[in-house]
Amino acid sequence: MGLEQRTGKFGAYWGNTYDSSRSLTQSQMEVNAKYIYSYLSSEGWTLNAVAGILGNMQSESSINPGRWESDRVGGNPDAHGYGLVQWTPYTKYTNWVTGDPSTMDNNISRILYEVDNNIQWIATSHYNYSFKSFTKSTDSPYNLALAFLANYERPADPVQPQRGNQAEKWYEFLSGIAPEPPEPDPEPT
């Protein structure tokens, strides 16, 4: 198995199976960015907020919902990350999820759960707003990427302007694209 095109609520996306890991190409990241934009905009997120989180996801996982930190499958359960935003330790996410942790829908469901339950996000003095208000913000994608970095990711190196630059590029890319509606549920057989 490994890297494959998969299908979820909002169509096709790229990802790894749980027992593999690798980065995505630019065109594969673009497919996933459109998917995430469709999903999060259906939940009321602004394009600016989506671009801000995508700027971080690009650095964290190459926007791959099945990516292991440093591509070490399994890794150290106390220290290594997993998924779109590299939940660390990965058990923070894998112990929470029901079903396959490598799917896009399960990754996004966890992010939405964190927004709804005010988990993971810690407002800083520089970005003093809640996770929920982040999702509705019309601040620049650059600033929102840095807010997500400071308030959610909280890395050892807090100065990472490339995430803001990536967010601006995702904003430009997605600006001319209409979000897709969810796929209809299959008829029961």
Side-chain angles (χ1 to χ4, degrees):
M1 300 285 290
L3 185 63
E4 61 189 13
Q5 192 164 43
R6 306 174 94 183
T7 305
K9 278 190 215 184
F10 290 86
Y13 67 90
W14 288 96
N16 280 95
T17 55
Y18 188 66
D19 60 352
S20 64
S21 185
R22 67 182 250 216
S23 63
L24 300 182
T25 66
Q26 181 64 35
S27 63
Q28 290 166 335
M29 284 193 294
E30 289 171 0
V31 168
N32 287 9
K34 287 189 245 182
Y35 188 102
I36 292 166
Y37 175 43
S38 294
Y39 198 134
L40 294 179
S41 67
S42 78
E43 297 289 329
W45 287 48
T46 63
L47 173 56
N48 303 45
V50 172
I53 199 171
L54 285 170
N56 280 277
M57 288 176 177
Q58 182 176 348
S59 290
E60 293 291 327
S61 65
S62 75
I63 316 179
N64 181 344
R67 185 109 189 250
W68 287 92
E69 183 179 349
S70 302
D71 294 324
R72 293 177 295 217
V73 176
N76 177 343
D78 295 323
H80 293 147
Y82 182 78
L84 287 170
V85 293
Q86 294 292 286
W87 285 280
T88 306
Y90 67 83
T91 54
K92 181 187 299 185
Y93 167 65
T94 59
N95 289 349
W96 172 86
V97 72
T98 302
D100 183 354
S102 67
T103 69
M104 184 72 81
D105 293 341
N106 282 337
N107 272 246
I108 295 173
S109 291
R110 174 61 191 203
I111 292 166
L112 296 173
Y113 172 81
E114 291 172 344
V115 170
D116 289 343
N117 292 282
N118 200 27
I119 297 171
Q120 183 63 31
W121 185 276
I122 299 172
T124 58
S125 59
H126 196 69
Y127 303 103
N128 192 17
Y129 46 89
S130 70
F131 202 173
K132 197 167 292 261
S133 63
F134 167 87
T135 70
K136 309 287 187 221
S137 181
T138 56
D139 196 356
S140 75
Y142 185 94
N143 286 342
L144 290 173
L146 298 184
F148 191 84
L149 177 68
N151 294 4
Y152 185 94
E153 293 291 350
R154 300 186 304 279
D157 175 11
V159 180
Q160 298 185 33
Q162 74 276 14
R163 293 183 188 222
N165 296 332
Q166 290 166 174
E168 292 288 346
K169 288 181 179 170
W170 288 118
Y171 182 86
E172 286 175 32
F173 173 74
L174 294 169
S175 287
I177 297 172
E180 293 290 325
E183 299 280 322
D185 289 333
E187 291 295 320
T189 55

